[in-house]
């Protein structure tokens, strides 16, 4: 049984979104999940303070800050996952 040539491969059209700049997108995402930018700010702050302590020679405080940075990163990641779950549940 001979079949005709396969249909041409045409990609489906991509969805179009209204033009949204970086600032508008950042504000929208921050309103949706405000804990993620706060966690990022906290992580960077602890990291910078840890680097400053290391540079000054305070190795004990520097090690403490690096451990605090890991905890802050974990909390930020948990906030990110929680926000994604809340958005998925809300969209149903």
């Amino acid at each position: 049984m001979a079949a005709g040539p396969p249909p041409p491969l045409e990609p489906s059209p991509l969805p179009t979104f209204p033009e949204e700049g970086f600032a508008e997108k950042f504000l929208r995402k921050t309103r949706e999940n405000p804990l993620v930018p706060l966690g990022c700010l906290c992580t960077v702050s602890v990291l910078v303070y840890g680097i400053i302590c290391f540079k000054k020679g305070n190795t004990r405080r520097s090690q403490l800050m690096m451990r605090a940075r890991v905890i802050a990163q974990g909390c930020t990641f948990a906030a990110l996952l929680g926000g994604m779950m809340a958005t998925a549940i809300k969209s149903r």
Side-chain angles (χ1 to χ4, degrees):
M1 182 167 169
L9 296 175
E10 293 181 20
S12 60
L14 297 173
T16 57
F17 296 103
E19 203 55 42
E20 184 178 43
F22 175 77
E24 293 87 17
K25 185 175 183 178
F26 180 77
L27 289 174
R28 179 176 54 84
K29 294 285 186 177
T30 301
R31 283 188 204 107
E32 288 175 8
N33 194 359
L35 294 178
V36 173
L38 184 65
C40 291
L41 183 64
C42 180
T43 302
V44 169
S45 301
V46 170
L47 174 65
V48 169
Y49 184 63
I51 290 172
I52 290 170
C53 289
F54 181 75
K55 192 171 184 176
K56 288 183 178 179
N58 191 349
T59 56
R60 182 168 168 79
R61 173 74 47 99
S62 176
Q63 281 294 317
L64 182 66
M65 289 298 107
M66 291 304 115
R67 291 177 185 144
R69 177 192 55 87
V70 171
I71 293 170
Q73 278 181 306
C75 292
T76 303
F77 186 70
L80 180 67
L81 287 179
M84 288 172 52
M85 286 176 36
T87 303
I89 291 171
K90 187 170 63 171
S91 66
R92 283 187 186 178

